[in-house]
Amino acid sequence: MQKIGIGLAGFGTVGAGVFLNLQRNRLLLAGRIGMELSVQKIVVRDPAKVRAITLPPELLAKSWRELIDDPDIQIICELMGGIDDPLELILAAIQAGKIVVTGNKALLAEHGREIFAAAMKYRVPVFFEAAAAGGVPIIMAIREAFIANHIRSMHGIINGTCNYILTQMTERGIGFQEALAEAQASGYAEADPTLDINGWDAAHKAIILASLAYGFWVGTEQIFVEGIEQITADDIRFARELGYRIKLLAIIKGDESSGIEVRVHPALIPATHVLASVHGVFNAVAVQGDVVGETLFYGRGAGQDPTASAVISDLASAALAIQAPRSHFGFTPHALYGRCKTIDEIVSQYYLRIPVLDKPGVLAQVAGVLGALNIGISSVIQPEGTEGEAVPLVLMIHDATNAQMQAALREIRALAAVKAEPRLIRVESFSS
Ligand SMILES: NC(=O)c1ccc[n+]([C@@H]2O[C@H](COP(=O)([O-])OP(=O)(O)OC[C@H]3O[C@@H](n4cnc5c(N)ncnc54)[C@H](OP(=O)(O)O)[C@@H]3O)[C@@H](O)[C@H]2O)c1
């Protein structure tokens, strides 16, 4: 049986999981692809580290360059994380004609254009299933299963940490800080959770999904990103009263005439929508194609085994590409969609919570500001308060552009009755 040599760069959560599961399901994989996937060398940062999964000392390389130079290695599997070393490694692998498998979403979001230009130039495939939703096979679906479709929209819950925090806040009425501390204690949030809660981990994945769907590599500066840090228990409660749940949503939409939109932010979604039932650390992506219609992908977006499942699927595809070279190198640019809209152009509905002084006439003042800017109100909640004290005034706003809403916020902040910063959360109705 033909043996395919793999150089494994990284033996952390994912790398060790890949190594373990390659061993565990060795016979099954060999039976399915007719080749043996064999790890030839492994590189880590600290060889002396005590590890939960044993790293066979005979496989240990001194640096990643040894992986490139080894003639028995045909596939480089980059699972180191970070930017500089992985970029250097991946470009060197491509130039050396070695197929690349990576799960590095931050790297692809920032340097995808350059990596896939090199992949096409040297005709070397790059696989990256683990870089969007861990164990959920969304990359293969967009690239292969939906090749017949214009992707009209993708709505993704693609950060398990945020979804866990928002689920706890929704189910137990606790605040953001308490839910975050619990997520950290349960191992669902990193000690430094910044990239998760500020929306950028989901944004990296959204960039990869949008770029694949629309044929041009979307720049990090072209998208709108907002995290969940400002969501309060009150917002969750009001959303529920209005028939919604709050999720951190990646929203990707496109049509050939007006361009595409890519944004990641907390959003109110109807409680009846299927994505509202995605709880805890689970991920889900709803994809709408013009031919296939609506589809839904659901599963674990992170963790050792789910991510290893995606990486090993790529290793198998890479092995098959060695046997029968392919003309698709991971991402093929095309010019059908052209441009990414700015957030100011994007039309949305909104939830607006304004802490106001509880006195007669305040609602009329706010409605006056909105009306003058042609912004319609669809419903209002004004909880009873004690006259003279601040109470939250909650408005649901009809379709408006971000530019319109920002203009309204500037005027609303200036009203004497407004006692603190208003809170704007977008509402996704899934209508288009
Ligand atoms: N964790 C997940 O659930 C998940 C899901 C999807 C995608 N990913 C992506 O997969 C990649 C790996 O994530 P992970 O969670 O496995 O990370 P990790 O646990 O921190 O492991 C990183 C591994 O890479 C090694 N490493 C780091 N820098 C290196 C360098 N310059 N040279 C050689 N080795 C180096 C580390 O060595 P030491 O062991 O000696 O420190 C470690 O073995 C990341 O790009 C991540 O975004 C992760």
Side-chain angles (χ1 to χ4, degrees), residues 159-203:
N159 184 277
T161 304
C162 287
N163 205 43
Y164 178 84
I165 290 172
L166 292 172
T167 302
Q168 294 306 314
M169 290 174 73
T170 303
E171 289 179 354
R172 296 167 43 220
I174 60 177
F176 171 77
Q177 288 303 341
E178 192 182 342
L180 171 61
E182 284 190 15
Q184 287 173 313
S186 325
Y188 295 137
E190 307 267 338
D192 177 2
T194 313
L195 263 188
D196 290 313
I197 62 174
N198 72 9
W200 270 98
D201 173 77

Side-chain angles (χ1 to χ4, degrees), residues 237-257:
R237 186 165 51 82
F238 289 131
R240 187 189 273 277
E241 281 176 31
L242 291 157
Y244 293 89
R245 299 287 180 271
I246 298 181
K247 295 287 185 189
L248 181 76
L249 214 57
I251 301 176
I252 300 163
K253 296 181 185 174
D255 72 65
E256 305 90 298
S257 53

Side-chain angles (χ1 to χ4, degrees), residues 132-331:
V136 182
I138 188 69
I139 300 288
M140 193 182 277
I142 297 170
R143 197 170 48 206
E144 297 179 20
F146 295 154
I147 198 158
N149 290 262
H150 283 283
I151 304 293
R152 290 298 172 221
S153 65
M154 283 188 265
H155 290 88
I157 293 174
I158 48 178
N159 184 277
T161 304
C162 287
N163 205 43
Y164 178 84
I165 290 172
L166 292 172
T167 302
Q168 294 306 314
M169 290 174 73
T170 303
E171 289 179 354
R172 296 167 43 220
I174 60 177
F176 171 77
Q177 288 303 341
E178 192 182 342
L180 171 61
E182 284 190 15
Q184 287 173 313
S186 325
Y188 295 137
E190 307 267 338
D192 177 2
T194 313
L195 263 188
D196 290 313
I197 62 174
N198 72 9
W200 270 98
D201 173 77
H204 290 150
K205 300 167 183 174
I207 285 173
I208 294 169
L209 293 175
S211 302
L212 262 186
Y214 298 118
F216 65 98
W217 209 263
V218 176
T220 46
E221 74 294 346
Q222 290 178 292
I223 71 169
F224 176 77
V225 184
E226 188 182 286
I228 64 166
E229 309 95 316
Q230 304 297 325
I231 301 291
T232 65
D234 277 351
D235 294 324
I236 301 255
R237 186 165 51 82
F238 289 131
R240 187 189 273 277
E241 281 176 31
L242 291 157
Y244 293 89
R245 299 287 180 271
I246 298 181
K247 295 287 185 189
L248 181 76
L249 214 57
I251 301 176
I252 300 163
K253 296 181 185 174
D255 72 65
E256 305 90 298
S257 53
S258 64
I260 74 164
E261 58 184 73
V262 185
R263 46 197 170 110
V264 171
H265 52 71
L268 270 70
I269 63 174
T272 49
H273 192 274
V274 65
L275 288 180
S277 308
V278 176
H279 300 306
V281 292
F282 277 87
N283 280 204
V285 186
V287 184
Q288 179 139 31
D290 65 341
V291 184
V292 70
E294 278 183 32
T295 61
L296 181 72
F297 295 80
Y298 173 85
R300 289 189 182 272
Q304 186 161 64
D305 285 342
T307 312
S309 168
V311 173
I312 294 173
S313 142
D314 279 350
L315 292 173
S317 300
L320 292 167
I322 289 167
Q323 221 175 33
R326 39 194 282 159
S327 57
H328 197 298
F329 304 109
F331 167 72

Side-chain angles (χ1 to χ4, degrees), residues 9-15 43-47 49 51 64 78-82 85 103-105 130 134 301-304 307:
F11 200 79
T13 304
V14 186
V43 65
V44 292
R45 192 172 18 207
D46 174 10
K49 198 188 238 180
R51 296 170 194 277
W64 57 256
E78 185 279 307
L79 298 168
M80 301 193 294
D85 279 347
N104 196 330
K105 51 226 166 192
Q304 186 161 64
T307 312

